[in-house]
Amino acid sequence: MCETLKSKYQLTEEIGRGRFGTIFRCFHPNSAVPYACKVIDKSLLSDSTDRECLENEPKFLSLLSPHPNVLQILDVFENDDFLSIVLELCQPLTLLDRIVSNPFSEQQASSLIKKLLEAVVHCHRLGVAHRDIKPDNILFDADDNLKLADFGSAEWFGDGRTMNGVVGTPYYVAPEVLLGRDYTEKVDVWSCGVILYIMLSGIPPFYGDSASEIFEAVIRGNLRFPSRIFRSVSSGAKDLLRKMICRDDSRRFSAEQALSMTPLDSEWR
């Protein structure tokens, strides 16, 4: 572990473990505020793709911080063996955990998607596409503020430049990504729309028994609102979903357009 990290922060208990390393609770000697420290063992990186993903996190978070709805980065330390990233400490439960545990009211869903879209608009204004927005990557701080995290798959765009490469997670990935076409930052809007759909219904809009079946359903993009599930969902919320989960990305809303349709009073009409 980096000696410079140890000289600046006191690491305490382990609070998480991932594919490449461990997350510890840590403290700065001059502050009682707890942080999270992600310590990545470089010997576990199997290829250049793994290394690029892990290097993306501090690079993009440093550009995007501070923003109230983007996970804040405090420090980065690196030596030949480890990469250590000090981040603001969030609650252990993600948005995925909340979706599994409790149904969302339309008001709650509206409030959360507004915060998520504010984070995405901030990213897009700075030329960054997240490319893997999903409930697992949406955290909450001690005050319950939403935080968009995990920028390992993020990419630059801008000046008309498109992106390529299949990245993302089955339920949330946009069809143009799966089709192998060049794509724009609107892939993030599709993912946010899928998250909103799941918060309002408890089920994904496109599903299957395997990843390949899910991908086929996503590519078809046949968006439906089963009356049994959506009978209490407002027409305004369903209209926004149609504009975000739009198979034709040229007609799909931008993050700013989607945000403008999210009500200030946290409830659609």
Side-chain angles (χ1 to χ4, degrees), residues 6-49:
K6 290 182 177 180
S7 67
K8 191 169 182 181
Y9 292 92
Q10 178 184 353
L11 272 62
T12 58
E13 76 269 23
E14 177 182 324
I15 57 175
R17 187 173 288 268
R19 180 181 168 196
F20 299 115
T22 307
I23 303 173
F24 298 92
R25 186 186 300 269
C26 71
F27 295 86
H28 190 285
N30 298 329
S31 172
V33 178
Y35 302 111
C37 182
K38 185 185 294 188
V39 180
I40 297 155
D41 185 346
K42 291 184 177 180
S43 69
L44 300 177
L45 304 181
S46 59
D47 54 36
S48 59
T49 301

Side-chain angles (χ1 to χ4, degrees), residues 56-102:
N56 274 351
E57 180 106 44
K59 176 176 67 178
F60 286 112
L61 283 179
S62 296
L63 171 70
L64 297 168
S65 294
H67 184 277
N69 299 118
V70 175
L71 187 67
Q72 187 173 356
I73 186 169
L74 283 305
D75 258 322
V76 180
F77 303 92
E78 185 173 11
N79 60 22
D80 292 338
D81 302 312
F82 295 95
L83 172 65
S84 301
I85 308 170
V86 180
L87 304 158
E88 66 177 313
L89 182 65
C90 287
Q91 300 175 36
L93 299 183
T94 67
L95 178 58
L96 178 62
D97 298 309
R98 296 189 178 198
I99 289 172
V100 170
S101 299
N102 297 294

Side-chain angles (χ1 to χ4, degrees), residues 192-204:
C192 291
V194 172
I195 290 172
L196 176 58
Y197 187 104
I198 293 173
M199 286 194 291
L200 290 171
S201 68
I203 60 171

